[in-house]
Amino acid sequence: MCSRKCVVPASVLTPTVAVRVAREDSVATRRPLGRVMIRGAGGGENGRVARGGGVWGGVAEESGIGVVQELYLGPDDLRGGGSLEQGDEGSGRRHWPASPTKLLFAITIREGREAPEPSIRAFFYSLLQIRSQETAQKLKMVKICCLGAGYVGGPTMAVIALKCPSVEVVVVDISVARIAAWNSDQLPIYEPGLDDVVKKCRGRNLFFSTEIEKHIGQADIVFVSVNTPTKTRGLGAGMAADLTYWESAARMIADVAKSDKIVVEKSTVPVKTAEAIEKILIHNSKGINFQILSNPEFLAEGTAIQDLFNPDRVLIGGRETPEGKKAVQALKQVYANWVPEDRIITTNLWSAELSKLAANAFLAQRISSVNAISALCEATGADVAEVAYSVGKDTRIGPKFLSASVGFGGSCFQKDILSLVYICECNGLPEVASYWKDVIKVNDYQKSRFVNRVVSSMFNTVSEKKIAVLGFAFKKDTGDTRETPAIDVCKGLLGDKAKISIYDPQVSEEQIQRDLALKKFDWDHPVHLQPTSPTAVKQVTVTWDAYEATKGAHGVCILTEWDEFRKLDYVKIYENMQKPAFIFDGRNVIDPQKLREIGFIVFSIGKPLDPWLKDMPAVV
Ligand code: UDX
Ligand code: UDX
């Protein structure tokens, strides 16, 4: 029945009063759209009903939410001097107990005036203002500060700010340019729906700043969402997570803290990181109490806002001490503003940390499994889409994450699996380590298989041939290129001296040049620590148009599944290409049959092979 729930953290209210907002469907004659309920600890079971609602009605009207239709008071309040009775129209302040400890009332939202979040917030402010001076002093707004304004920190905090109007959220970052972008109309990351959320909250209860120490010092809850790259040298190089940025964040938090803090791991970290962070904080605490929580992010780029609005689950891990449990509850209350309670899972710290690595490893494993099958499909004449469909129809397996591709990319899968592998090795579990490592091996195999298909079909050389690359991001609807398979594919083609012309609707030339010049793993360091002037790769040009990129090309490689690539005019593309014209679809976005009819020689992952490719080896 309840379509939306919004629980205001108890800490913004007096210790004895908790406020809960719920929206319910109603069939009242005024066709209200919903109800906002504010309930005190005592609950409303014994309460009485008043129509009109006096001062509360005024508050509701002013805030634009609607009119109070029902007002419930707990018996204690009535004894304490309140005299609201059923039907007591506009009774107002004079009947209200000076310091209500238990109250519950409901407002019916007027038709066409569904309460927007800021109105609810305004409503609460009004509510707080009309409290007695003494009570108001006890009230405190929860302050959240997030270190790291990246793909994870930025959208997550924007959604918390939107869904929790009574919480102040400040996102801080060492990158001046990134913060400036967050404060401008051109946000630093492309994410559908993000602009809207940021516009609604920025300047109200969402702020972006480079004053890291000041805001961390003031926060009750500090989220840490800084980079955790794979180590490039020393112990565990190429596998272990590099916690340099995390460690310095922890030292800084300890340094600037003047009040107790909950420190939340948002970045994906190796299991037991919390223990290390806890040690740093406690040894530098100056008597301040720190609680560490693990609250890993499960958002996927391109759908981050939807994932945050409607998560499958929110995971909060904490210490199993009374203080740890209290901290878990405090964070749970933040999420409970919009996430149903049964989707908020609380666990111990280590389970939370490991669950994140395990979830990403399972997801990546599905892709490597279907990609391994795709190679077999090409060899046998099966169609991987048909196989995946049939396999996914088994409800025990399910249909998601079974699209064969040129390989998975993104900042998480490879890094997290490598971290998992390293942890297994450190714990004396080489068989487990090698099991998970194979997920990455199959992914690398899939990328090199693709390059080999391109080279071998084009008479075993692409030297000085123009190859158009459509799509560079690691998946559609994002401009993110971290660990994108396009990097390895382009490097493979460049290794055979191809001339590459790249088009991606969201990735800039500067980014592409940087990516092709960077060493493996360097991409996950903050930008200011990456090489400042990457030498442009001369064989690469970047265009802002798919037709321009493909003009005069010998071959086209589709490396990201952008929707627009399904709708291109392939006849026009074919006419402007060298012949024979090749198309290599690494994302299965085009219909191979239709393109063959136009005249293309087509390779699609895991699909029955074009006669041209039949006798050519998949791996040279
Ligand atoms: C990051 C990590 O890369 C990922 O492993 C983890 O799971 C979540 O956090 P993301 O938000 O996608 O993911 O990274 P990124 O966009 O690079 O953002 C990290 C931000 O932290 C950068 O803006 C960087 O400037 C900032 N940062 C880094 C700091 O403010 N201080 C530091 O010491 C290091
Ligand atoms: C992933 C997880 O989904 C998310 O829960 C976690 O918090 C971070 O890592 P993300 O990396 O943003 O999110 O993207 P995701 O949608 O998982 O895709 C990862 C890669 O797998 C992409 O390159 C994508 O194209 C590829 N992929 C995905 C496939 O090749 N086939 C599929 O069926 C699904």
Side-chain angles (χ1 to χ4, degrees):
M1 182 171 76
C2 189
S3 58
R4 186 182 62 181
K5 260 181 165 183
C6 172
V7 179
V8 173
S11 47
V12 304
L13 299 159
T14 56
T16 45
V17 182
V19 173
R20 172 180 290 264
V21 184
R23 187 172 169 277
E24 294 170 11
D25 292 326
S26 163
V27 286
T29 46
R30 294 175 65 176
R31 297 209 298 126
L33 294 174
R35 250 163 32 132
V36 176
M37 298 181 72
I38 299 192
R39 184 169 60 201
E45 306 95 293
N46 307 318
R48 302 217 189 161
V49 182
R51 299 249 160 233
V55 65
W56 301 103
V59 168
E61 293 275 18
E62 278 163 32
S63 63
I65 293 178
V67 285
V68 170
Q69 285 201 325
E70 295 163 292
L71 179 64
Y72 302 85
L73 293 178
D76 287 357
D77 300 304
L78 292 177
R79 274 205 301 278
S83 61
L84 281 177
E85 298 293 342
Q86 191 156 8
D88 189 359
E89 295 282 345
S91 50
R93 206 185 293 259
R94 80 198 139 84
H95 294 300
W96 195 255
S99 184
T101 53
K102 293 175 185 173
L103 61 112
L104 178 140
F105 71 99
I107 315 166
T108 304
I109 298 170
R110 278 182 185 156
E111 186 177 5
R113 300 192 55 186
E114 188 167 9
E117 303 300 331
S119 302
I120 292 183
R121 185 176 68 131
F123 172 70
F124 280 116
Y125 285 154
S126 319
L127 179 69
L128 301 182
Q129 276 158 18
I130 60 171
R131 288 244 167 100
S132 71
Q133 207 71 38
E134 182 204 2
T135 316
Q137 274 165 8
K138 287 189 202 153
L139 306 176
K140 187 172 162 272
M141 205 163 172
V142 172
K143 286 195 174 174
I144 288 179
C145 181
C146 173
L147 176 59
Y151 285 90
V152 172
T156 308
M157 292 304 122
V159 168
I160 289 183
L162 181 77
K163 298 292 187 182
C164 314
S166 56
V167 174
E168 182 188 286
V169 182
V170 185
V171 192
V172 294
D173 200 294
I174 36 168
S175 164
V176 176
R178 211 161 209 191
I179 291 299
W182 278 110
N183 282 319
S184 76
D185 285 341
Q186 271 295 290
L187 300 185
I189 59 175
Y190 171 70
E191 192 62 64
L194 178 64
D195 278 27
D196 266 5
V197 176
V198 170
K199 266 190 204 130
K200 279 188 186 137
C201 316
R202 196 172 55 192
R204 290 187 195 159
N205 65 332
L206 175 67
F207 304 91
F208 295 92
S209 168
T210 47
E211 290 184 280
I212 299 180
E213 300 191 352
K214 174 181 149 193
H215 293 293
I216 286 189
Q218 291 171 352
D220 306 301
I221 304 177
V222 180
F223 285 83
V224 182
S225 184
V226 296
N227 318 57
T228 47
T230 303
K231 273 183 91 168
T232 47
R233 56 178 76 91
L235 197 64
M239 275 198 283
D242 182 346
L243 293 180
T244 311
Y245 307 120
W246 237 111
E247 183 176 339
S248 62
R251 289 184 189 280
M252 189 256 296
I253 294 168
D255 219 33
V256 301
K258 293 190 178 58
S259 57
D260 293 353
K261 299 212 183 308
I262 296 172
V263 178
V264 186
E265 289 177 349
K266 204 56 170 162
S267 318
T268 308
V269 291
V271 187
K272 294 271 176 182
T273 298
E275 202 162 71
I277 302 302
E278 202 171 55
K279 280 184 187 141
I280 295 170
L281 288 171
I282 288 167
H283 283 282
N284 295 282
S285 73
K286 299 170 289 192
I288 286 166
N289 180 24
F290 291 107
Q291 281 302 318
I292 311 272
L293 300 180
S294 164
N295 173 218
E297 193 48 75
F298 293 105
L299 64 84
E301 287 171 36
T303 53
I305 299 299
Q306 279 320 310
D307 294 344
L308 285 161
F309 278 0
N310 193 16
D312 286 346
R313 78 316 208 172
V314 166
L315 179 57
I316 306 174
R319 283 279 186 200
E320 284 154 312
T321 58
E323 299 78 27
K325 285 182 182 159
K326 214 171 127 198
V328 168
Q329 285 310 315
L331 186 58
K332 189 174 171 180
Q333 277 203 325
V334 172
Y335 284 106
N337 277 292
W338 78 97
V339 181
E341 291 210 15
D342 60 354
R343 290 202 197 166
I344 307 180
I345 306 170
T346 57
T347 65
N348 76 30
L349 270 173
W350 327 127
S351 301
E353 287 181 343
L354 185 55
S355 301
K356 168 71 184 190
L357 294 183
N360 276 349
F362 274 55
L363 288 169
Q365 182 203 42
R366 275 176 81 93
I367 303 168
S368 278
S369 299
V370 77
N371 281 346
I373 295 294
S374 77
L376 191 55
C377 287
E378 289 162 30
T380 57
D383 181 329
V384 74
E386 292 175 358
V387 174
Y389 181 77
S390 311
V391 170
K393 272 288 175 191
D394 185 326
T395 51
R396 293 167 302 175
I397 298 171
K400 293 183 184 168
F401 258 68
L402 284 180
S403 302
S405 65
V406 59
F408 59 74
S411 68
C412 289
F413 284 178
Q414 169 157 309
K415 181 162 64 96
D416 291 354
I417 294 174
L418 287 173
S419 172
L420 189 66
V421 166
Y422 183 67
I423 294 165
C424 293
E425 284 179 358
C426 291
N427 282 284
L429 304 168
E431 290 81 0
V432 186
S434 107
Y435 176 76
W436 288 109
K437 206 170 188 170
D438 280 349
V439 172
I440 294 179
K441 276 196 195 161
V442 170
N443 200 44
D444 288 339
Y445 164 77
Q446 190 75 347
K447 290 181 272 190
S448 57
R449 213 166 70 75
F450 187 85
V451 173
N452 285 334
R453 285 288 193 200
V454 177
V455 177
S456 64
S457 347
M458 296 171 82
F459 315 102
N460 251 341
T461 176
V462 287
S463 180
E464 295 305 313
K465 287 179 185 160
K466 178 174 174 180
I467 308 287
V469 168
L470 300 185
F472 197 81
F474 80 99
K475 63 175 188 179
K476 73 170 183 177
D477 291 340
T478 178
D480 193 355
T481 59
R482 291 177 292 180
E483 278 295 313
T484 175
I487 295 178
D488 286 337
V489 170
C490 288
K491 282 185 173 171
L493 295 172
L494 289 168
D496 209 83
K497 298 211 175 77
K499 286 183 164 170
I500 300 183
S501 179
I502 303 174
Y503 164 68
D504 186 290
Q506 283 297 331
V507 186
S508 68
E509 171 160 17
E510 190 201 356
Q511 184 63 51
I512 290 173
Q513 292 287 3
R514 183 192 290 274
D515 287 334
L516 293 176
L518 281 181
K519 288 204 203 90
K520 213 168 168 62
F521 302 127
D522 272 352
W523 50 267
D524 201 20
H525 287 270
V527 174
H528 75 286
L529 293 178
Q530 293 173 6
T532 43
S533 54
T535 28
V537 183
K538 290 196 187 65
Q539 298 280 91
V540 175
T541 53
V542 177
T543 72
W544 282 105
D545 177 42
Y547 299 104
E548 188 59 36
T550 51
K551 198 181 279 174
H554 291 79
V556 176
C557 298
I558 300 177
L559 300 184
T560 311
E561 72 281 21
W562 286 102
D563 290 337
E564 62 180 73
F565 298 159
R566 295 177 199 273
K567 297 177 211 133
L568 290 172
D569 181 349
Y570 284 99
V571 174
K572 180 174 161 188
I573 289 178
Y574 179 77
E575 281 165 2
N576 289 327
M577 282 177 66
Q578 308 275 351
K579 308 294 172 331
F582 296 86
I583 204 152
F584 304 91
D585 184 0
R587 296 289 185 165
N588 288 350
V589 297
I590 49 122
D591 179 340
Q593 210 38 51
K594 280 196 182 137
L595 266 75
R596 278 185 193 125
E597 281 161 21
I598 295 173
F600 284 104
I601 294 163
V602 182
F603 167 73
S604 295
I605 302 273
K607 300 270 182 187
L609 289 181
D610 192 295
W612 182 283
L613 281 97
K614 273 240 161 73
D615 301 321
M616 294 181 183
V619 179
V620 186

